[in-house]
Amino acid sequence: MKLPLIYYGHSLLRKKAQPVVEITKEIKKLIQDMLETMQGLDGLGIAAPQVGKSLAIFITAAPVEDGKGGFTQASPRVFINPKLSNPTEQGWEHSEACKSIPKLSGDVTRPVQITVTAQDINGKEFTEVFTGWPARVIMHENDHLNGVLFIDRIPQDQRKKMENALRKIKKQYNP
Ligand SMILES: [Zn+2]
């Protein structure tokens, strides 16, 4: 079942998400619904706060380099109670957008590589190193769990130019 998204201006997008204590049937259903929502929106990732649930869960489906200069779509990955560590000092800048902030994008610099420890949908803990786009999507989604949005990470001049559009989104999507 596709879930409605919440948008910029909604206070839940600025809240720190709560840890998942137990992966219940309801949590599994939520994850399935988040997956369908993400795929329906053609997104690279989705975090639980974006569907109005303040829980430490996100899903990614980041493109992966195919080794021939192109990209292939990765199968979705579920991260429950994720902890990020060991970001590389080396960063790279790329344009980012967010389904909760329609039609806007801005340049975000993020570490090239990050280590993630999280639980999968069966509660099994894993630790894995991610590089490039998968790492970027993970960091974007993990930001959502901390109430942080990509617009907090873009250059000041870009943010300034966005203020009007942001005000409009706030009004239009939060009646
Ligand atoms: Zn987002």
Side-chain angles (χ1 to χ4, degrees):
M1 185 181 76
K2 277 194 227 165
L3 301 170
L5 278 197
I6 61 169
Y7 294 94
Y8 175 76
H10 194 298
S11 61
L12 222 145
L13 285 178
R14 291 307 198 179
K15 245 182 93 177
K16 196 171 162 57
Q18 296 300 303
V20 175
V21 180
E22 194 191 342
I23 301 166
T24 57
K25 253 197 330 215
E26 288 73 26
I27 294 285
K28 286 191 177 174
K29 170 84 167 90
L30 170 66
I31 290 169
Q32 182 57 38
D33 289 346
M34 283 170 61
L35 184 62
E36 288 172 29
T37 307
M38 178 185 78
Q39 288 168 339
L41 294 166
D42 218 7
L44 302 181
I46 191 167
Q50 290 183 280
V51 294
K53 300 282 180 201
S54 195
L55 288 167
I57 304 169
F58 63 75
I59 302 175
T60 65
V64 181
E65 280 177 63
D66 63 7
K68 294 175 230 153
F71 288 93
T72 52
Q73 191 74 20
S75 38
R77 296 283 307 261
V78 176
F79 300 82
I80 301 170
N81 299 326
K83 295 276 175 289
L84 274 51
S85 61
N86 297 327
T88 46
E89 241 169 77
Q90 194 197 348
W92 62 298
E93 188 186 66
H94 203 281
S95 176
E96 280 188 28
C98 180
K99 300 293 180 191
S100 290
I101 313 175
K103 295 189 187 118
L104 296 181
S105 61
D107 296 325
V108 181
T109 301
R110 298 201 188 262
V112 169
Q113 200 169 74
I114 193 87
T115 302
V116 187
T117 299
Q119 286 164 270
D120 68 16
I121 194 157
N122 298 310
K124 195 172 167 346
E125 190 177 277
F126 63 93
T127 297
E128 208 173 314
V129 176
F130 294 88
T131 307
W133 270 106
R136 176 175 291 276
V137 175
I138 284 167
M139 285 183 267
H140 176 116
E141 300 310 331
N142 193 69
D143 273 352
H144 278 299
L145 305 186
N146 292 310
V148 176
L149 301 169
F150 83 89
I151 54 169
D152 305 334
R153 298 191 181 277
I154 61 176
Q156 260 318 313
D157 58 319
Q158 289 188 18
R159 174 69 186 249
K160 270 209 184 98
K161 281 182 203 149
M162 240 180 228
E163 287 302 336
N164 264 332
L166 286 173
R167 257 196 298 277
K168 274 186 198 149
I169 292 170
K170 207 171 191 168
K171 256 201 189 147
Q172 186 184 342
Y173 290 91
N174 296 281

